[in-house]
Amino acid sequence: MEDKSDPYVSEMLSIGGYTVKNNLGGVVPYVIVRTNQKEVDSLLGSISETAPSAPKSGDFWYKIDHTEKNFKLGSYSNTTSSSASSISYAIPVSWCNAVTDDIIGAASITGQVLFGGKVYKKFTANLTVSVPDTVIPSISSVTFSDVDDSAVPSSWGIYVQGQSGLKLKSISCTGAYGSEIKKVKMTADSRIRTTDYPELPEMDHISQSGEVSVMVTVTDSRNRTVNKSAVVSVVSYASPKLSSVKSERCNASGETDNDGTYFLSTTSAVFPSCLGKNALTLTVKYKRTDLKNYGNEVQINPGSNVCANNDLDPEYSCDVLYTLSDEFNTVTYSDFVSTAVYLMHFLHGGRTTSRSCS
């Protein structure tokens, strides 16, 4: 090694201008001067290779004491230094707080090369940093309810197919390292509803029954998403119906009678009980076919019922109207009671007699 008291070397050390003998990237660990008094180039940049094991004659290497770098991202910064030939710094995940609306941010590195406590080179480099894929928002809990204007009484405490809606009642969610929740999506019943947070999505009805899967998704300001699944139980429902209807003349005892002034109603109904909470109502009213208005409506039970108030005139046919209702729907059925049937008997000489058929 050349004596550092050499005037030219001392001058070069003071100026800090040195030629780097390799072109690799990294931290500058060594500088070189020539003893032939020729001017040297400026420091070209950082390298990672150490001094060559067999330098050319006249080349002398001096190791820099250490390098120092300042890393900065948004309002976050940190300084690290090392006397080794290279230096590295792992950016803490907490620095993601400086990149809240994107997954890529701009950072800078300010470095300096020192010898004997004196700065011989400063440099600044810009770089792009990415938010790790593991930095995503979170959902800790969700709750659901029927919609406010549901046809299902709130006291029932169940979801009914086709009658209940589904509302995301509450959600506990948060962004990650400074991000904000922007959107909430609910997927259920083969449909999707999306709202801007903090508004929460809802569906006006549920067409499926049984165990219905629900997926809730939140999206944050980095456009990162997270899902949380749940299941709601929906009771099956279909409109009530009369599977059979028959109305025929009878007497007060319900026995078939061609001249009867009553009619025997025989019906069979099908309806969903909705876990015992739904109720069925069946009513009947009648009128002479040639009249416009029906008489009073009377409630009956499905099965056999003797109807009319002994006022069914055998000379006239009768229209009968059944109304079947439950909590959600009403359906009507029309039936007919014919007049009494007569057989005509022709006697010898053209005279006739008649009698009713019973």
Side-chain angles (χ1 to χ4, degrees):
M1 297 286 289
E2 183 177 351
D3 184 358
K4 293 182 182 180
S5 64
D6 180 282
Y8 183 76
V9 173
S10 298
E11 180 183 355
M12 288 299 99
L13 289 175
S14 298
I15 296 174
Y18 310 110
T19 299
V20 176
K21 284 303 181 181
N22 54 55
N23 292 315
L24 301 177
V27 178
V28 178
Y30 292 87
V31 293
I32 184 172
V33 297
R34 294 182 182 277
T35 57
N36 58 8
Q37 304 299 309
K38 290 185 178 180
E39 185 178 356
V40 297
D41 297 329
S42 300
L43 187 65
L44 296 180
S46 58
I47 62 173
S48 60
E49 189 181 52
T50 58
S53 58
K56 294 187 297 182
S57 176
D59 291 349
F60 291 87
W61 293 79
Y62 293 86
K63 186 173 183 178
I64 301 300
D65 282 350
H66 66 280
T67 60
E68 183 176 281
K69 288 186 177 178
N70 180 274
F71 295 81
K72 185 174 183 180
L73 176 63
S75 61
Y76 295 87
S77 64
N78 196 22
T79 300
T80 184
S81 62
S82 173
S83 60
S85 59
S86 63
I87 191 171
S88 63
Y89 179 71
I91 298 177
V93 69
S94 60
W95 286 23
C96 292
N97 284 290
V99 188
T100 60
D101 297 327
D102 204 343
I103 59 173
I104 296 177
S108 63
I109 299 175
T110 301
Q112 56 188 23
V113 180
L114 301 93
F115 180 78
K118 186 174 182 180
V119 177
Y120 285 94
K121 180 70 176 181
K122 291 183 178 180
F123 62 90
T124 298
N126 295 320
L127 68 155
T128 300
V129 295
S130 298
V131 177
D133 294 339
T134 54
V135 176
I136 58 176
S138 61
I139 303 174
S140 58
S141 65
V142 292
T143 62
F144 302 93
S145 69
D146 206 336
V147 292
D148 294 338
D149 57 351
S150 173
V152 180
S154 59
S155 60
W156 286 20
I158 60 174
Y159 296 100
V160 178
Q161 179 184 14
Q163 306 304 317
S164 292
L166 182 64
K167 177 172 68 174
L168 179 58
K169 184 178 181 180
S170 67
I171 182 171
S172 179
C173 59
T174 184
Y177 293 103
S179 72
E180 296 181 353
I181 303 299
K182 292 295 186 180
K183 292 187 178 296
V184 182
K185 180 175 70 174
M186 181 172 67
T187 304
D189 198 32
S190 301
R191 292 178 294 160
I192 297 174
R193 295 291 183 270
T194 303
T195 58
D196 294 328
Y197 187 75
E199 183 181 353
L200 300 180
E202 62 181 61
M203 298 176 179
D204 57 0
H205 72 280
I206 309 172
S207 63
Q208 298 175 345
S209 64
E211 299 297 300
V212 177
S213 297
V214 184
M215 181 71 74
V216 177
T217 304
V218 297
T219 303
D220 70 359
S221 51
R222 296 190 185 99
N223 207 32
R224 296 266 174 92
T225 61
V226 67
N227 302 320
K228 190 172 185 63
S229 60
V231 173
V232 295
S233 181
V234 182
V235 176
S236 62
Y237 175 81
S239 295
K241 66 178 182 179
L242 289 178
S243 56
S244 64
V245 180
K246 187 177 182 180
S247 307
E248 55 185 344
R249 285 185 182 273
C250 68
N251 58 27
S253 299
E255 297 171 339
T256 302
D257 185 348
N258 186 64
D259 293 319
T261 54
Y262 299 85
F263 69 91
L264 180 64
S265 166
T266 306
T267 59
S268 179
V270 177
F271 83 106
S273 68
C274 298
L275 303 182
K277 299 180 183 296
N278 196 16
L280 186 70
T281 300
L282 176 61
T283 62
V284 63
K285 58 185 178 180
Y286 61 96
K287 69 178 182 65
R288 268 175 36 180
T289 302
D290 62 329
L291 299 180
K292 180 179 180 180
N293 297 322
Y294 282 91
N296 293 331
E297 193 173 52
V298 177
Q299 184 171 335
I300 61 175
N301 294 319
S304 296
N305 296 269
V306 176
C307 303
N309 295 316
N310 194 27
D311 58 357
L312 215 62
D313 192 335
E315 300 294 330
Y316 293 90
S317 61
C318 179
D319 294 331
V320 181
L321 184 65
Y322 294 93
T323 301
L324 186 67
S325 304
D326 70 353
E327 182 69 35
F328 310 111
N329 285 292
T330 297
V331 291
T332 59
Y333 295 82
S334 297
D335 202 15
F336 179 81
V337 177
S338 65
T339 60
V341 178
Y342 293 92
L343 292 179
M344 303 299 292
H345 296 270
F346 292 88
L347 303 178
H348 182 70
R351 291 176 300 162
T352 65
T353 63
S354 66
R355 68 181 180 86
S356 63
C357 295
S358 54

